[in-house]
Each structure stands twice: as structure tokens, then as C-alpha cells.
Amino acid sequence: MKRSYELTRAAEDGDVATVARLLGAGAAVDALGEDARTALDLAAQENHADVVRVLLGAGADAAAHAGPYHDLTPLTCAAMFGSRDAVAALLDAGVSMAAQDRIPYTPLVVAASNNHAETVALLLDRGAAVEDRAMKNRTALEWAACFGRVESVLLLLDRGAEATGTALSCAERHAQRGEEERGRYGRMAEALRAALGRDAA
């Protein structure tokens, strides 16, 4: 048990040498740490790409439950925290960007919903389906708009995402909350109106 805790702590700290040493000494790669999270889960969250690569090379389960609430995968956890390098390492290893049977989130949706534009761009560059509706029949653009993620919305539109009435309604709700919100979220609503070919409201 002690060795598994050491492994998860080292992974969370980005201590690749200790991770490699512990694995070589027989630590179980998917053992749970003190907070019931694996080394891969924690390394992905903290953007320790070198540790992610070592763990994957040792056979870590890239489809296991991950994240603070155990409702993600290591890839979607990395995307949620904007851990771009870890996302790249997982994709390099062939980890799927599709929703898993038990875990419906997709990395593109969670990255966009948390406004991690660099991670969104990476996922799109790697072939993420911009119009995927795996999460409650909404696209990443719609989720980003409804969470008020201006940068993600503008990036997704620029990368070919289809503007929708749902996204526009969400953007307009944010913009109508007050003067400060109008200035920030107005850009998002204007971009969506333009994409939809509608006159400014």
C-alpha cells in the first residue's frame, strides 16, 4: 500500500525518476493513492507529460475512472484542467477522443466548457469532431456558449463550428445580466449572430 501511495504522489509532483524507480521495483501502475486516484489520473491533471508517457509505457489504464469526482477519464481530466502537454501525450499513445461507454464526456467539450483554448485548438488539430453531440445532444460550441466561455466560442467558430440558436440564446442570456457582462459576452453573441446571418439585436 505504501508503495502505491508513493507512486501517486510522485506522479502528481511530476517526479518522473521516482515514478520509473517505483514501477521498476514492482509498484502496481494502476494502484490507487490516498484519494482513490491513480498515478496516470494525477499526472494527467497536473500536466506532467513525461510521467504520463512512462505510466502509459508501463501499461496504465487510459480508460479508467479519473478526476476529482471519478467521473472522467485521464484524457478528459487533462482536458478539463487545460493540461495541454498531457493531452498531447495521451493522444500520441492512441487514446480515443470519443466518449466512453461509462463516461459520456468528451475532451473537446470539457476543454471548451472550461475555456482552455489552447487545448481546444490541439484537440481540433488532432481530429476532434467539432460537431459531435455525444454529451446531451449538444456540441462543444453550445456547451461553451452556455458556460459563457468567450474565447472557446470564438475559437470554435473560427475553426468551423456551426453556430446554432441554442448557442446564441445562451450567449444573449449572459450578455443581458448587466453592463459589465454586456461588454464581455456581447462579443460572443455578436459573433454567433454574424455566423447565423442575423442582424445585431
Side-chain angles (χ1 to χ4, degrees), residues 127-171:
V130 72
E131 299 301 332
D132 183 84
R133 290 181 171 272
M135 275 188 62
K136 298 184 179 179
N137 200 35
R138 284 189 176 183
T139 64
L141 177 70
E142 290 170 339
W143 280 108
C146 288
F147 278 105
R149 308 309 193 190
V150 178
E151 291 77 11
S152 289
V153 167
L154 297 178
L155 173 61
L156 287 162
L157 286 171
D158 186 60
R159 297 292 293 269
E162 181 181 351
T164 66
T166 296
L168 178 57
S169 294
C170 287

Side-chain angles (χ1 to χ4, degrees), residues 18-180:
T18 298
V19 168
R21 176 179 60 78
L22 289 167
L23 291 170
V29 69
D30 288 323
L32 300 179
E34 293 170 285
D35 52 2
R37 297 177 68 182
T38 66
L40 180 60
D41 174 8
L42 294 165
Q45 174 179 308
E46 298 300 324
N47 202 29
H48 299 312
D50 288 344
V51 175
V52 167
R53 293 186 188 97
V54 168
L55 293 165
L56 290 171
D61 183 2
H65 283 266
Y69 303 104
H70 314 290
D71 58 346
L72 302 168
T73 63
L75 177 56
T76 51
C77 181
M80 185 176 78
F81 283 89
S83 299
R84 183 187 181 281
D85 295 340
V87 168
L90 288 156
L91 295 178
D92 288 343
V95 176
S96 172
M97 286 187 278
Q100 306 300 307
D101 289 342
R102 298 170 298 150
I103 302 171
Y105 305 107
T106 63
L108 183 62
V109 164
V110 294
S113 297
N114 287 280
N115 218 30
H116 298 304
E118 288 188 1
T119 304
V120 170
L122 170 67
L123 290 163
L124 292 172
D125 289 343
R126 295 296 191 93
V130 72
E131 299 301 332
D132 183 84
R133 290 181 171 272
M135 275 188 62
K136 298 184 179 179
N137 200 35
R138 284 189 176 183
T139 64
L141 177 70
E142 290 170 339
W143 280 108
C146 288
F147 278 105
R149 308 309 193 190
V150 178
E151 291 77 11
S152 289
V153 167
L154 297 178
L155 173 61
L156 287 162
L157 286 171
D158 186 60
R159 297 292 293 269
E162 181 181 351
T164 66
T166 296
L168 178 57
S169 294
C170 287
E172 289 176 336
R173 278 199 299 274
H174 285 291
Q176 291 165 3
R177 289 178 176 171
E179 193 61 37
E180 183 178 341

